[in-house]
Amino acid sequence: MKGGFHGLRAKQLSLSLIALVCTFVFIWAWEKTPLLTSLLPPQSRFSMPSSEILFGAPVVKEMSSNPGIYVKEESSNAVAPMRSANTSSSKKSITDNNSTPPPMEKEVCNYAKGKWVADDRRPLYSGFGCKQWLSGMWACRLTQRTDFSYESFRWQPENCEMPDFEGSKFLRRMQNKTVAFVGDSLGRQQFQSLMCMVTGGEESPDVLDVGSEYGLVKNPGAVRPDGWAYRFLNTNTTILYYWSASLCDLEPLNITDPATDYAMHLDRPAAFLRHYLHRFDVLVLNTGHHWNRGKLKANRWVMHVGGVPNTNRKLADIASAKNFTIYSVVKWLDLQLPKHPQLRAFFRAISPRHFFNGEWNSGGSCDNTTPLTGGKEVLQDNSSDPVAEGAVKGTDVKFLDITALSQLRDEGHISRYSIKATPGVQDCLHWCLPGIPDTWNEILYAQL
C-alpha cells in the first residue's frame, strides 16, 4: 500500500510538472508567434486602433489626460485601443504606425487661375444707362455693334471664393475711405467700370465731384483734366483716377517754353503719388502700353535717372526702361506702406492687346465676336506678366493679375465700332464697357 501510494503521488507530480511546462511553452509561443492569434475568433483578439478609430468621422482626438489613448467622439459603440502594461511601447506603436495624419494644406488662392462661365445675370450695369461715368467711345451699346454676347460671362477662380459684387456692399466696406486708380487709359477704364458697377449704371445725384481736392482740374487749353475724383456722400467714399501712363515723375525742362521736353524720371514715382498717398486706402497702379518710341517722342519724354539724363545703354532700351520703372515704383511703394498702415496697394498686370494681321497703325484688326474661341480656362500658376509678378514678389504690394484671363477675351474689344460709324483704325487695346474690366474690379473687390 505504501509503495502504491508513493508511486501514485509521483505520477501525479510528473503530470503536474508536464502540464506546467506545456503552459509555459504555450504562453511563450503566444507572445512570439503572431500566427497563433489569428486562430482565435475575432472578438477574442486584443483590441488595436483601427483606421476608422484614428481617422474616421466625425472627430478623432487624443485625450489630454491619457496620452496615447485615442477616442472617437459622438459614437457610443466606438472601441478605444487597450493600453498595455508597457505604456511607452503602446504609445509608440500607435504614434508611429497609425498616427493621425497632418491636416491637409488649403490650396493657395490664385484669382488668375480659373475659367469663364456663362452667366445670364450679366452685365452688372447697363451700357445705355451709365452715361454719367462712362465715356461714349467705350460704351459699345451706343455704337453700331449688334452682338453683345461678350457681356454674359463671369470669371470663376479655381480655388477662391468670389463674392457677388454689390454696389451698396462695396460702399459700406469703403465707408470713409478713398480708392485710387493711377495709370494709363486702361486704368481709366477700370475706374469708369467701378463707378458704373457701384451705381448700377444709374444716375446718382448724391455723388459730388471733388477733383479740385486733388488738383484734378482742367487747365486752360487742355482737352480734359489729368483725372477725376468723386465722393459718395452717403458713405463718404471717394473713388478717383489720375492719368500717369508711365508712373514716372514728369518734370518740364523749361517751364517757360510750351513746347519743352519733359524729364521722365525712371527712378522717381509720379508727384501725384508722393503728394496724396497718405489720403488713399486702396491704390491700384498700372502701366505698360505707352512704353514705345512713338509715345515717348510724341510726349517729348526724355529718360532721366538720378536726376540727370540717362546714359546707361541698357536702360535706353524701352523694355528695360519699363521694367526698371516698375521695379522702382513698387519698391518705393513698399517702403511707404509701414507709414500708411491703412493702405492696401495693388499693382495690376498688363491688359493684353489683340491686334491680328498687323499693328494698330498697319491694318491690325480684332473682328472676332464669338466668345472664348481660344479657350475658356487658365491653367497656369504663374502670371503672363512676369515683370509685374517679379516686382511685387517679396513685398507687401498685392498683385492684381488679369493678363491671362483677359487674353481669352479678344471679342470684347472696341474693334471697328464707334458712335459716328466712321471707318478707321481699329481699337484692339481698349475694352467695351460693360465688359472685361468689370471682372478686374470683381477680383479687386474679392481681395479687399
Side-chain angles (χ1 to χ4, degrees):
M1 289 290 294
K2 187 173 181 181
F5 173 79
H6 286 292
L8 178 61
R9 185 169 182 83
K11 187 180 294 184
Q12 289 175 340
L13 289 173
S14 297
L15 291 173
S16 298
L17 182 60
I18 292 172
L20 183 61
V21 171
C22 291
T23 302
F24 176 82
V25 171
F26 183 80
I27 293 175
W28 177 84
W30 177 284
E31 294 179 348
K32 296 296 184 178
T33 310
L35 178 61
L36 292 175
T37 63
S38 65
L39 301 177
L40 293 176
Q43 57 267 45
S44 300
R45 299 175 195 163
F46 287 118
S47 299
M48 293 299 293
S50 68
S51 60
E52 180 190 6
I53 294 173
L54 290 179
F55 314 133
V59 177
V60 177
K61 64 181 294 186
E62 178 176 345
M63 297 177 65
S64 58
S65 59
N66 294 289
I69 299 181
Y70 293 79
V71 296
K72 182 169 67 174
E73 293 185 327
E74 299 180 10
S75 178
S76 59
N77 58 357
V79 179
M82 292 178 62
R83 191 172 178 180
S84 70
N86 189 338
T87 304
S88 61
S89 174
S90 173
K91 183 175 180 179
K92 186 176 187 301
S93 66
I94 294 173
T95 304
D96 292 351
N97 300 329
N98 295 286
S99 59
T100 303
M104 293 181 63
E105 292 186 8
K106 186 176 181 180
E107 294 191 57
V108 176
C109 172
N110 181 356
Y111 287 98
K113 187 177 181 180
K115 60 184 178 181
W116 288 101
V117 296
D119 189 341
D120 57 10
R121 298 173 299 172
R122 304 304 168 107
L124 298 175
Y125 55 91
S126 167
F128 290 112
C130 197
K131 297 177 182 179
Q132 188 174 2
W133 320 114
L134 184 55
S135 296
M137 60 184 173
W138 296 332
C140 290
R141 286 277 181 174
L142 304 180
T143 70
Q144 322 86 44
R145 183 163 183 163
T146 58
D147 182 273
F148 303 100
S149 56
Y150 65 88
E151 295 180 345
S152 302
F153 291 86
R154 65 176 172 83
W155 180 247
Q156 181 174 299
E158 185 175 284
N159 296 312
C160 312
E161 292 185 9
M162 191 87 143
D164 291 335
F165 185 94
E166 293 184 27
S168 58
K169 285 185 178 180
F170 179 87
L171 290 176
R172 286 196 299 270
R173 183 176 295 183
M174 294 293 108
Q175 186 165 2
N176 300 317
K177 299 183 186 301
T178 297
V179 180
F181 295 91
V182 177
D184 57 22
S185 55
L186 277 303
R188 182 183 171 196
Q189 282 210 298
Q190 189 174 1
F191 159 73
Q192 291 191 1
S193 163
L194 184 60
M195 291 298 296
C196 290
M197 291 168 68
V198 169
T199 60
E202 300 177 358
E203 294 286 329
S204 299
D206 65 329
V207 180
L208 184 66
D209 185 339
V210 294
S212 59
E213 293 184 16
Y214 299 89
L216 303 177
V217 294
K218 183 178 176 181
N219 295 320
V223 176
R224 63 178 71 90
D226 288 335
W228 296 264
Y230 298 103
R231 182 166 298 142
F232 292 80
L233 300 178
N234 289 340
T235 57
N236 192 36
T237 302
T238 302
I239 301 177
L240 67 83
Y241 163 78
Y242 177 75
W243 185 85
S244 178
S246 66
L247 297 180
C248 297
D249 189 21
L250 299 175
E251 188 177 34
L253 295 178
N254 184 354
I255 59 174
T256 63
D257 181 8
T260 185
D261 289 339
Y262 287 81
M264 181 187 188
H265 297 282
L266 304 182
D267 54 351
R268 188 189 304 172
F272 181 85
L273 284 172
R274 304 199 310 272
H275 293 161
Y276 296 105
L277 188 67
H278 67 284
R279 298 185 62 175
F280 303 155
D281 298 278
V282 177
L283 172 63
V284 181
L285 300 178
N286 91 281
T287 187
H289 292 295
H290 280 251
W291 290 89
N292 59 71
R293 290 293 175 190
K295 292 289 186 182
L296 264 65
K297 184 177 181 180
N299 290 310
R300 304 190 301 278
W301 293 344
V302 180
M303 288 189 281
H304 280 55
V305 177
V308 297
N310 174 56
T311 57
N312 187 327
R313 290 186 177 182
K314 291 183 179 180
L315 285 183
D317 174 72
I318 295 293
S320 298
K322 182 197 76 170
N323 298 350
F324 177 82
T325 297
I326 291 175
Y327 273 80
S328 296
V329 171
V330 170
K331 182 179 179 180
W332 171 82
L333 182 57
D334 187 48
L335 292 174
Q336 305 307 308
L337 291 179
K339 307 173 189 176
H340 310 288
Q342 86 288 352
L343 177 59
R344 297 286 301 278
F346 295 83
F347 194 97
R348 178 174 62 70
I350 195 167
S351 173
R353 306 164 356 127
H354 289 95
F355 288 97
F356 296 98
N357 303 314
E359 274 296 323
W360 67 272
N361 57 354
S362 60
S365 62
C366 47
D367 293 324
N368 175 46
T369 58
T370 303
L372 306 173
T373 55
K376 66 178 182 179
E377 193 168 11
V378 174
L379 300 174
Q380 66 197 44
D381 292 315
N382 295 329
S383 174
S384 292
D385 185 352
V387 174
E389 182 181 39
V392 302
K393 186 176 182 180
T395 74
D396 288 325
V397 179
K398 306 300 180 183
F399 190 34
L400 189 57
D401 188 8
I402 54 85
T403 305
L405 64 91
S406 303
Q407 185 69 42
L408 297 174
R409 303 303 307 276
D410 61 291
E411 86 287 359
H413 287 293
I414 305 296
S415 186
R416 68 178 70 223
Y417 306 103
S418 63
I419 295 177
K420 297 180 180 180
T422 54
V425 176
Q426 289 200 22
D427 187 350
C428 304
L429 171 64
H430 298 99
W431 304 91
C432 290
L433 292 174
I436 310 308
D438 302 337
T439 296
W440 306 349
N441 284 321
E442 288 183 277
I443 296 175
L444 173 64
Y445 176 66
Q447 293 190 63
L448 291 177

